[in-house]
Amino acid sequence: MWERCFSERRARQIQRAFRRGKLTLLCLFMTVIVLRGTIGAGKFGTPVQDFDEIRHRLHSSQLSVPHRILIEEHSSASNAVTGKENSMEEDDPRDTSRPYSLGPKISDWDEQRAQWLKSHPENPNFLTPKKPRVLLVTGSSPKPCENPVGDHYLLKSIKNKIDYCRVHGIEIFYNMALLDAEMAGFWAKLPLIRKLLLSHPEVEFLWWMDSDAMFTDMVFELPWERYSTFNLVMHGWNEMVYDDRNWIGLNTGSFLLRNSQWSLDLLDAWAPMGPKGKIREDAGKVLTNFLKDRPVFEADDQSAMVYLLVTQKDRWAEKVYLESAYYLHGYWGILVDRYEEMMENYHPGLGDHRWPLVTHFVGCKPCGKFGDYPVERCLKQMDRAFNFGDNQILQMYGFNHKSLTSRKVKRVRNETANPLDVKDGLGLLHPHFKAVKMQI
Amino acid sequence: MWERCFSERRARQIQRAFRRGKLTLLCLFMTVIVLRGTIGAGKFGTPVQDFDEIRHRLHSSQLSVPHRILIEEHSSASNAVTGKENSMEEDDPRDTSRPYSLGPKISDWDEQRAQWLKSHPENPNFLTPKKPRVLLVTGSSPKPCENPVGDHYLLKSIKNKIDYCRVHGIEIFYNMALLDAEMAGFWAKLPLIRKLLLSHPEVEFLWWMDSDAMFTDMVFELPWERYSTFNLVMHGWNEMVYDDRNWIGLNTGSFLLRNSQWSLDLLDAWAPMGPKGKIREDAGKVLTNFLKDRPVFEADDQSAMVYLLVTQKDRWAEKVYLESAYYLHGYWGILVDRYEEMMENYHPGLGDHRWPLVTHFVGCKPCGKFGDYPVERCLKQMDRAFNFGDNQILQMYGFNHKSLTSRKVKRVRNETANPLDVKDGLGLLHPHFKAVKMQI
């Protein structure tokens, strides 16, 4: 870890931190974390590599929060809706004497929706008895990225999602509109999700996915039946959330939300910490006090979710599945250096640490100017992750990237006059989970 | 038109052209064109606005070809596969004593495909008796754009396509791989199209669409039944192609190709002018000599298609539909200034000059450094076209852009506790052309 400290950018960061007298505190923290890392892994049942995620992210967040706050204070008004980026949209100011609301209270959504589905059999909420209709929702700012290459990575990211979703029979909604100026930044997903659920009763599950998350297992199909009695599925660990109250005990960068009254109620309960300004600032302090290891910054949706589940466990926990059997969200820091090892030893379709479903570049912020990690490492690893996933698509057509770092592709299977005899190695050309008999 | 000449960038272009002594020739051309414009429109049955396309594009192409050739000579190696951008990939050089081939000759594709469809009823080529399974294919370079904002426009463009295709039940393949280094640039689509047709027998129509083309009518459904006896559909005019041999008598930036033996044969017949280097250069000269108004530059796929149809009319024309009843491709120059007028007088669903299905930004080249038009005009109009189409998506959810030039959105319909009673004005929320009854 100290070698990493001595990269050029880190050296500058450390110098600044030292001048502010934080280095001493950091060393103390590091000692504590290393000790806890030794003691704690067994107790929580968390695989060592997952605990690495927490250490990695704590280390970077401790150094980067000042940058993040600077960005959010100085960023110009924009309609940023990545789920991560900042926006300070100046619109008609809401009357703050009235509590914030995502919309008029609806109490009979399950009934409204059931009625609609019954009278619209041509728009079923299940594509097969076992496969729900899923809408994957993602997005980014309508403004060009401050970092010129940022949009290129957003483009590669959506291509990556298009590929996975095409193979798995999932539709995509790419948002570039800020629907509610008060709920800007990472909170923008809440009004959007509510709007889409209510507009598309045929959608059974809405899958929110951050723009900096990429599919790295193109074969893995989500275990839909596992979630038949749950309404919210996030990657995380029960102990980290309910016992430890750790702000990264779950991840809201990739989650499933069922289209139901329960979900509308959850969104209503989740939203109050979101309105920008004093509410969000004060809520941030509450969250930092309440949650373990959370740095000081304004309220974010992920911390607020942990807070909600912990403080209202009886109301929500029964229908929340914290999934750690595969990487519905996979922290990039512990995955990207292992891709070659994965290719050597494993195969697509596993979805877990052996071949992660999702590699999520938390903290990289390629669209902005300041991320939590060195930009070169982020961009290089995002290229590798993209190629790792893209190889699984290209192999269908007889091609592969020359290496995980190369944009170029090479032929790995000759052309043939009998293309339909070609073995579909990964079963992606005509996947069973997409097969349907369609008729009016 | 001369006022446009006096914009800053145009002034510099004109100065350079003058120094090269081309201005005189240009004036002569303009006089001829204006005269022909007066005489010719009635003869060809071409609406005045469509003939404006030809004049606009001739004017710009006369000024810009030197830039384009410079780019292609100096561009570094890249895997550019937009259908428009340049690439000079240095791979294992092919043995040029052997004629170029897209792949092993296949002569029984209709039979192979029919057999496969019969044994895979769960992957039908028609989603309903009237609606074929369509794969929309587009793409761009795996390299970041030379122009920093170029990737942002590619991102908006793919979001635009995602929206149209989601509403119309069409799947998308976004390509970022150069499959054949010899067929780089605009020719890269040929190996890609062949590969996708042969890999996806369930696809009935492949819809190629350039990355600089956007959907501006989200309601218009293609008249699939009109094409039931045709294999290739392009926007164009029979007279402009077969009588006039005009290189822009059709457009290969947005076309439909049926998955059939005929199409494989067409691709084989189309390809020979494509291989980069001497073949493409010499072919370019042939095309300029043969086609009307074509500037001097290397062979492009569009000119080659006109050449193919004219010189082998008996072989191909019967199955080629040149569509001019709606804008399967709509030249942006004659459309973008009329959007407000369209919104005032017409409505989505028309697809034609009143509300164009596709606005195609030919010549803008936002990803590169030099386009055929002033970059400011291109980018501003691309924003407007995007918002014009996006409004039709946003209105489903009760929002609209504040203006066609604004990224910001405003609410145009209040939230309600009965969202399913909301009128679906454009019929896009649950479109009839997407309704299916799906079961295994």
Side-chain angles (χ1 to χ4, degrees), chain A residues 106-115 259-262:
Chain A
I106 299 175
S107 303
D108 61 343
W109 178 239
D110 288 338
E111 292 75 19
Q112 288 192 41
R113 185 170 175 255
Q115 183 57 39
N259 198 344
S260 61
Q261 180 64 49
W262 183 99

Side-chain angles (χ1 to χ4, degrees), chain A residues 328-378:
Chain A
L328 180 61
H329 138 88
Y331 169 60
W332 69 283
I334 58 174
L335 296 173
V336 295
D337 297 306
R338 296 180 38 238
Y339 286 143
E340 282 82 2
E341 171 199 318
M342 295 173 191
M343 289 156 65
E344 180 72 27
N345 297 309
Y346 301 114
H347 55 83
L350 302 172
D352 57 19
H353 64 281
R354 297 168 297 173
W355 203 285
L357 173 66
V358 171
T359 300
H360 186 187
F361 287 87
V362 283
C364 273
K365 302 188 180 74
C367 194
K369 283 214 164 115
F370 304 102
D372 301 349
Y373 302 92
V375 64
E376 304 79 25
R377 171 155 170 85
C378 276

Side-chain angles (χ1 to χ4, degrees), chain A residues 77 79 89-91 102-106 108-109 112-113 116 120-124 126-129 133 135 140-145 148-149 151-156 158-159 162-163 165-167 169 171-180 194-196 198-202 386 390 393-394 396-399 401-402 406-409 411 413-421 428-432 434-440, chain B residues 77 79 89-91 102-106 108-109 112-113 116 120-124 126-129 133 135 140-145 148-149 151-156 158-159 162-163 165-167 169 171-180 194-196 198-202 386 390 393-394 396-399 401-402 406-409 411 413-421 428-432 434-440:
Chain A
N79 285 329
E89 184 61 54
E90 297 307 327
D91 260 305
L102 284 172
K105 179 69 182 163
I106 299 175
D108 61 343
W109 178 239
Q112 288 192 41
R113 185 170 175 255
W116 189 93
H120 293 82
E122 72 285 1
N123 292 107
F126 273 77
L127 306 188
T128 75
R133 186 191 299 268
L135 180 67
S140 58
S141 171
K143 283 180 70 170
C145 290
V149 297
D151 280 299
H152 183 67
Y153 286 89
L154 288 172
L155 184 68
K156 291 177 78 169
I158 186 56
K159 172 207 157 46
I162 288 171
D163 285 331
C165 291
R166 181 182 64 253
V167 166
E171 294 187 303
I172 295 175
F173 187 94
Y174 195 98
N175 185 54
M176 279 175 141
L178 181 63
L179 303 188
D180 184 337
R194 184 180 195 269
K195 171 61 70 175
L196 290 171
L198 296 180
S199 304
H200 293 289
E202 73 280 10
F386 173 85
D390 197 35
I393 300 296
L394 291 172
M396 285 194 261
Y397 308 111
F399 288 84
H401 283 268
K402 289 190 171 184
S406 172
R407 300 180 184 114
K408 299 180 189 178
V409 301
R411 186 180 288 281
R413 190 175 65 231
N414 287 332
E415 295 296 315
T416 160
N418 294 287
L420 299 176
D421 295 342
L428 288 180
L429 275 171
H430 309 102
H432 67 89
K434 199 178 165 188
V436 289
K437 186 162 62 183
M438 298 160 97
Q439 54 186 340
I440 278 287
Chain B
N79 285 328
E89 182 63 52
E90 297 308 325
D91 259 303
L102 285 171
K105 179 68 182 163
I106 299 175
D108 62 341
W109 177 239
Q112 288 192 41
R113 185 170 175 256
W116 189 93
H120 293 82
E122 73 284 2
N123 293 107
F126 273 78
L127 307 187
T128 75
R133 184 190 300 268
L135 180 67
S140 59
S141 170
K143 282 181 71 170
C145 290
V149 296
D151 281 299
H152 182 68
Y153 285 89
L154 288 172
L155 183 68
K156 292 176 77 168
I158 187 55
K159 171 205 158 51
I162 288 171
D163 284 331
C165 291
R166 181 182 63 252
V167 166
E171 295 188 302
I172 296 175
F173 187 93
Y174 195 97
N175 185 54
M176 279 176 140
L178 182 63
L179 304 187
D180 184 337
R194 184 179 194 271
K195 171 61 71 175
L196 290 172
L198 296 180
S199 303
H200 294 287
E202 74 278 12
F386 173 86
D390 197 36
I393 298 298
L394 291 172
M396 283 194 262
Y397 307 111
F399 288 84
H401 283 269
K402 289 190 172 184
S406 173
R407 299 179 185 115
K408 299 182 190 178
V409 301
R411 187 181 288 282
R413 191 175 63 232
N414 287 332
E415 295 296 315
T416 160
N418 295 286
L420 299 176
D421 295 342
L428 287 180
L429 275 171
H430 308 102
H432 67 89
K434 198 178 167 190
V436 288
K437 188 162 61 184
M438 297 159 96
Q439 54 186 341
I440 277 284

